[in-house]
């Protein structure tokens, strides 16, 4: 391409080296709509090379003590934190989120992911029981599984990629990661820091490309025994099908349609700002048109208010925050996940009614409940079909505790104990004395 010299060109990171690819994908700056980056369009050949590098590095990395691995993870966290502003600027440009959000949430959380699992791996315990009448002692031991295939989404690029890499390598596995082809830049930047952090060559390999080519090649590879995936339910169904012949271990964190339930005794001074943040955090016009066709009313935003953009952003992917009312429960806007600044507001009369309606969607990732009645928040939280329920708050996470969804929102959980169990094999050993 004539303009390719002006573009940022990424390379795969395999065996500790950056490797060019024979073909590339255009990546767009969402604020301008212009191509600004070229991402490798990797396939079976690149995945094969990455898996081989990971297999070759496994014996060296898995033989290191948890303390040695912990020190390296902490060093990598320090290096990312040192370059936090550069990472935040890149994440904002590549993904389209505000620079403030990238600076205060995405990149600090990526740093914390490494620090958290660097500490967590030092404090895991195993089980031991005694059968005195048989003269036997039983205990368990855990060992890394092997090469982990990690596939992360576009909405929280480095945040969720490191949420997978950190526990995988802390437990002694090596990894082949595939970030979203739409938001690959910060993963590539992280690769530049791995050697300086002391990560041996081949422990972390990053192959860029589409899910259909690079992702499927990784999922189908016989030498990748476990797959951790965050993304759509539809893609997860295909991953499950392709993994079945190999009996692979799967962790699937999928979509959500997260209800925010606001009772009449809620503290609106806290509730409204948080609900606005949770509703409009991601930056889909067809849903608004469908809702209107179904009889819903758009209170503000798309189709109601005008959006004026500077000349340089006329082709950018901008949409006004949109609020829709009088939406039917069976509407696509109420049933499907919308990755855009669109929220639906509907009234309810009773606790029983709102629980039933909140549980009527196929997803079950998260929910929020706002009420000053302590008994009510406990009752409602227990009955909501969601893997995580926030009451009178939002996005407050203790990484020690499980994260994951019910129903079509996923299989498995992630967190200190859950990730440790997913990324290790357990063995029971019996000693007769």
């Amino acid at each position: 391409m004539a303009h390719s010299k002006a573009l940022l060109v990424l390379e795969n990171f395999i065996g500790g080296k950056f490797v060019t690819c024979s073909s590339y994908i255009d990546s767009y700056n969402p604020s301008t709509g212009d191509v600004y980056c070229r991402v490798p369009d990797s396939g079976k050949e690149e995945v094969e090379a990455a898996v081989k590098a990971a297999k070759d590095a496994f014996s060296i990395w898995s033989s290191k003590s948890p303390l040695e691995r912990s020190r390296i993870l902490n060093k990598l966290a320090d290096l990312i934190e040192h370059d936090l502003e550069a990472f935040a600027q890149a994440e904002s440009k590549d993904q389209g989120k505000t620079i403030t959000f990238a600076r205060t949430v995405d990149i600090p959380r990526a740093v914390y992911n490494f620090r958290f699992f660097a500490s967590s791996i030092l404090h895991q315990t195993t089980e031991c029981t005694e059968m005195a009448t048989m003269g036997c002692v039983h205990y368990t031991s855990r060992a890394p599984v092997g090469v982990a295939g990690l596939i992360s989404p576009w909405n929280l690029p480095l945040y969720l990629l490191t949420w997978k890499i950190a526990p995988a390598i802390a437990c002694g596995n090596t990894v082949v990661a595939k970030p979203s082809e739409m938001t690959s830049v910060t993963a590539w930047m992280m690769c530049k820091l791995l050697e300086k952090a002391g990560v041996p060559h081949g422990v972390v390999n990053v192959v860029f490309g589409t899910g259909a080519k690079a992702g499927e090649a990784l999922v189908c590879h016989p030498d990748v025994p476990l797959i951790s995936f965050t993304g759509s339910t539809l893609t997860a169904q295909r991953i499950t099908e392709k993994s079945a012949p190999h009996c692979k271990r799967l962790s699937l964190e999928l979509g959500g349609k997260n209800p925010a339930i606001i009772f009449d005794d809620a503290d609106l001074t806290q509730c409204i700002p948080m609900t606005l943040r949770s509703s409009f955090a991601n930056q889909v016009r067809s849903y608004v048109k469908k809702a209107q066709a179904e009889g819903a009313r758009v209170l503000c935003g798309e189709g109601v208010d005008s959006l004026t953009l500077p000349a340089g952003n006329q082709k950018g992917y901008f949409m006004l925050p949109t609020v829709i009312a009088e939406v039917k429960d069976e509407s696509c806007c109420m049933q499907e996940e919308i990755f855009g600044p669109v929220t639906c507001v509907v009234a309810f009369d009773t606790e029983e009614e709102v629980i039933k309606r909140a549980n009527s969607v196929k997803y079950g990732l998260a929910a929020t409940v706002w009420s000053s009645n302590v008994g009510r928040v406990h009752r409602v939280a227990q009955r909501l079909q969601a893997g995580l329920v926030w009451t009178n708050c939002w996005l407050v996470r203790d990484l020690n505790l499980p994260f994951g969804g019910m129903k079509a929102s996923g299989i498995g959980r992630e967190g200190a104990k859950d990730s440790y169990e997913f990324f290790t094999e357990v063995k029971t050993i019996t000693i007769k004395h």
Side-chain angles (χ1 to χ4, degrees):
M1 294 176 66
H3 59 253
S4 61
K5 291 183 179 179
L7 303 180
L8 176 64
V9 180
L10 308 189
E11 295 176 314
N12 291 321
F13 189 75
I14 300 173
K17 298 178 181 179
F18 286 102
V19 182
T20 58
C21 190
S22 59
S23 60
Y24 287 81
I25 306 165
D26 288 340
S27 182
Y28 294 81
N29 180 337
S31 71
T32 64
D34 295 327
V35 176
Y36 91 105
C37 176
R38 307 212 70 208
V39 178
D41 186 15
S42 305
K44 289 184 179 180
E45 182 180 344
E46 291 79 11
V47 169
E48 182 64 43
V51 172
K52 182 181 184 304
K55 285 181 66 179
D56 291 346
F58 178 72
S59 61
I60 295 173
W61 183 245
S62 61
S63 66
K64 289 186 179 294
S65 69
L67 181 58
E68 289 176 296
R69 297 196 296 265
S70 174
R71 287 170 176 163
I72 291 172
L73 264 68
N74 275 318
K75 177 63 174 176
L76 182 54
D78 292 342
L79 292 171
I80 295 173
E81 187 172 54
H82 180 270
D83 293 343
L84 188 147
E85 184 61 24
F87 273 96
Q89 293 285 345
E91 200 76 293
S92 176
K93 183 176 182 178
D94 198 32
Q95 197 273 344
K97 64 182 68 213
T98 66
I99 183 64
T100 298
F101 200 90
R103 188 184 287 137
T104 59
V105 177
D106 284 54
I107 309 308
R109 173 60 188 272
V111 171
Y112 185 60
N113 286 339
F114 283 115
R115 288 187 177 147
F116 177 82
F117 285 104
S119 173
S120 176
I121 196 62
L122 301 178
H123 302 98
Q124 297 293 343
T125 60
T126 57
E127 299 168 283
C128 180
T129 63
E130 181 182 11
M131 295 177 66
T133 57
M134 300 292 293
C136 290
V137 172
H138 311 273
Y139 68 93
T140 59
S141 68
R142 285 192 171 270
V145 180
V147 179
L150 312 177
I151 303 174
S152 56
W154 63 270
N155 56 327
L156 295 163
L158 194 65
Y159 178 132
L160 289 180
L161 180 65
T162 56
W163 178 235
K164 298 180 184 297
I165 291 176
I169 65 174
C171 291
N173 301 283
T174 55
V175 307
V176 177
K178 192 209 83 66
S180 168
E181 70 276 15
M182 294 185 287
T183 52
S184 299
V185 173
T186 50
W188 173 74
M189 291 171 64
M190 181 194 70
C191 292
K192 294 182 177 183
L193 304 176
L194 294 174
E195 185 170 12
K196 189 174 181 180
V199 179
H201 293 178
V203 171
V204 176
N205 305 274
V206 180
V207 176
F208 300 102
T210 65
K213 286 178 63 177
E216 187 147 321
L218 182 58
V219 167
C220 294
H221 200 291
D223 294 330
V224 180
L226 74 171
I227 300 291
S228 176
F229 168 78
T230 299
S232 74
T233 302
L234 189 63
T235 302
Q237 292 170 351
R238 184 164 182 82
I239 289 173
T240 303
E241 292 168 2
K242 292 294 182 180
S243 299
H246 305 284
C247 297
K248 298 194 179 199
R249 185 181 301 189
L250 300 179
S251 174
L252 307 174
E253 198 274 282
L254 311 178
K257 189 64 177 175
N258 305 334
I261 300 172
I262 304 171
F263 286 95
D264 56 5
D265 59 350
D267 181 351
L268 298 184
T269 61
Q270 293 186 43
C271 168
I272 298 303
M274 281 295 181
T275 303
L276 286 171
R277 284 187 62 202
S278 64
S279 298
F280 300 132
N282 284 302
Q283 298 64 35
V284 164
R285 290 191 167 92
S286 62
Y287 279 97
V288 178
K289 292 179 180 178
K290 287 180 183 178
Q292 288 176 308
E294 294 166 344
R297 187 162 57 95
V298 178
L299 301 182
C300 64
E302 182 68 19
V304 174
D305 303 306
S306 60
L307 175 62
T308 303
L309 295 170
N313 302 105
Q314 293 289 327
K315 296 188 297 179
Y317 312 145
F318 291 92
M319 181 178 176
L320 286 166
T322 301
V323 179
I324 307 174
E326 300 171 19
V327 193
K328 298 176 182 177
D329 283 3
E330 59 271 21
S331 167
C332 61
C333 288
M334 292 290 284
Q335 294 292 322
E336 298 174 20
E337 184 174 27
I338 304 175
F339 272 107
V342 177
T343 194
C344 300
V345 178
V346 293
F348 64 90
D349 293 316
T350 68
E351 188 176 303
E352 189 67 28
E353 174 201 350
V354 76
I355 292 171
K356 182 178 180 180
R357 293 171 70 183
N359 289 338
S360 68
V361 299
K362 66 180 180 179
Y363 298 108
L365 182 59
T368 55
V369 179
W370 297 87
S371 173
S372 60
N373 185 319
V374 176
R376 173 184 278 160
V377 296
H378 280 288
R379 284 195 308 273
V380 175
Q382 289 288 343
R383 295 184 61 192
L384 288 173
Q385 296 170 356
L388 176 62
V389 180
W390 285 289
T391 66
N392 298 323
C393 63
W394 175 67
L395 216 57
V396 179
R397 286 277 288 117
D398 180 347
L399 303 191
N400 287 291
L401 301 182
F403 178 84
M406 299 179 179
K407 301 190 289 188
S409 286
I411 297 173
R413 295 293 186 269
E414 299 170 321
K417 183 174 181 288
D418 296 271
S419 294
Y420 177 65
E421 292 178 352
F422 177 74
F423 285 112
T424 58
E425 290 279 15
V426 65
K427 180 185 296 184
T428 299
I429 299 171
T430 299
I431 307 294
K432 185 171 176 60
H433 54 80

